[in-house]
Amino acid sequence: MKSFENNAFFWQKLDTLFLANKLVIIKEKGEKHAQYQNLIYPVKYGRLSGTNGGNDNEVSVYRGSLASDRVTAAIVAVDILKKDLDIKLLSGCSEDEEVEVLKFLNQTDFQKTIIVRRGSELPSWAITG
C-alpha cells in the first residue's frame, strides 16, 4: 500500500510544525557530541521550541546547508540502551548531508536509524471534506 507510505498531507503537517515553532540550534556543524566525543555533528542540530518529541524532549532537527524551510525527510531511530524510539526531522539537507546524518546516527551498536524521504502523493483516503 504505497499510498500510506508518503502522504503529502503528512509532510504538510510536518512543515507546519517546523515553521510554527522556533528552531533552537544546540550544536553547530563540526562540534563533538557531549557524551560521545568521537561523534562529530555533520550539520547543525537543534530542537523545535515548545514541541514534544517524546521522552520529555522537544522535536529534534538536523539542519542542512540548503536555503529551505521544508522538512525533507524524517529519521526513525531505535536505541536499545535507552529502550526508546525517536523521530528526527531533516530540513535543508542535501542528499550528501542526509547520508552524513545517517552515518552519524548509525555509528554505535546500540542505535540504528532509517530515513523516510518526503513524498508528494495525495491518496484519496487522506482527503477530508
Side-chain angles (χ1 to χ4, degrees), residues 74-94:
I75 290 182
V76 180
V78 60
D79 188 319
I80 59 173
L81 289 182
K82 292 181 185 176
K83 296 182 181 179
D84 77 356
L85 187 64
D86 188 21
I87 306 297
K88 303 162 189 307
L89 304 180
L90 277 72
S91 177
C93 290
S94 67

Side-chain angles (χ1 to χ4, degrees), residues 5 8 10 14 17 27 36 38 42 46 48-49 62 80 83 96 101-102 106 123:
E5 294 174 12
F10 171 79
L14 282 180
L17 181 72
K27 292 287 185 183
Y36 304 102
N38 62 317
L48 290 178
S49 181
Y62 287 88
I80 59 173
K83 296 182 181 179
D96 288 343
V101 171
L102 282 172
N106 281 290

Side-chain angles (χ1 to χ4, degrees), residues 60-79:
S60 297
V61 177
Y62 287 88
R63 184 73 172 108
S65 61
L66 301 177
S68 172
D69 287 328
R70 290 180 74 191
V71 175
T72 54
I75 290 182
V76 180
V78 60
D79 188 319

Side-chain angles (χ1 to χ4, degrees), residues 1-8 10-11 116 121-123 125-126:
M1 295 191 152
K2 189 172 170 44
S3 63
F4 282 98
E5 294 174 12
N6 252 323
N7 180 346
F10 171 79
W11 295 102
V116 180
E121 295 177 13
L122 295 174
W125 60 264

Side-chain angles (χ1 to χ4, degrees), residues 2-59:
K2 189 172 170 44
S3 63
F4 282 98
E5 294 174 12
N6 252 323
N7 180 346
F9 293 125
F10 171 79
W11 295 102
Q12 180 185 50
K13 298 302 180 219
L14 282 180
D15 286 339
T16 301
L17 181 72
F18 181 76
L19 293 170
N21 296 280
K22 182 180 179 183
L23 176 59
V24 178
I25 299 299
I26 298 168
K27 292 287 185 183
E28 292 291 334
K29 178 180 178 176
E31 286 189 45
K32 293 179 181 179
H33 188 280
Q35 188 174 359
Y36 304 102
Q37 295 290 302
N38 62 317
L39 300 180
I40 308 297
Y41 284 85
V43 296
K44 292 179 182 179
Y45 170 77
R47 295 195 183 270
L48 290 178
S49 181
T51 61
N52 182 356
N55 294 328
D56 296 323
N57 289 320
E58 295 168 320
V59 173

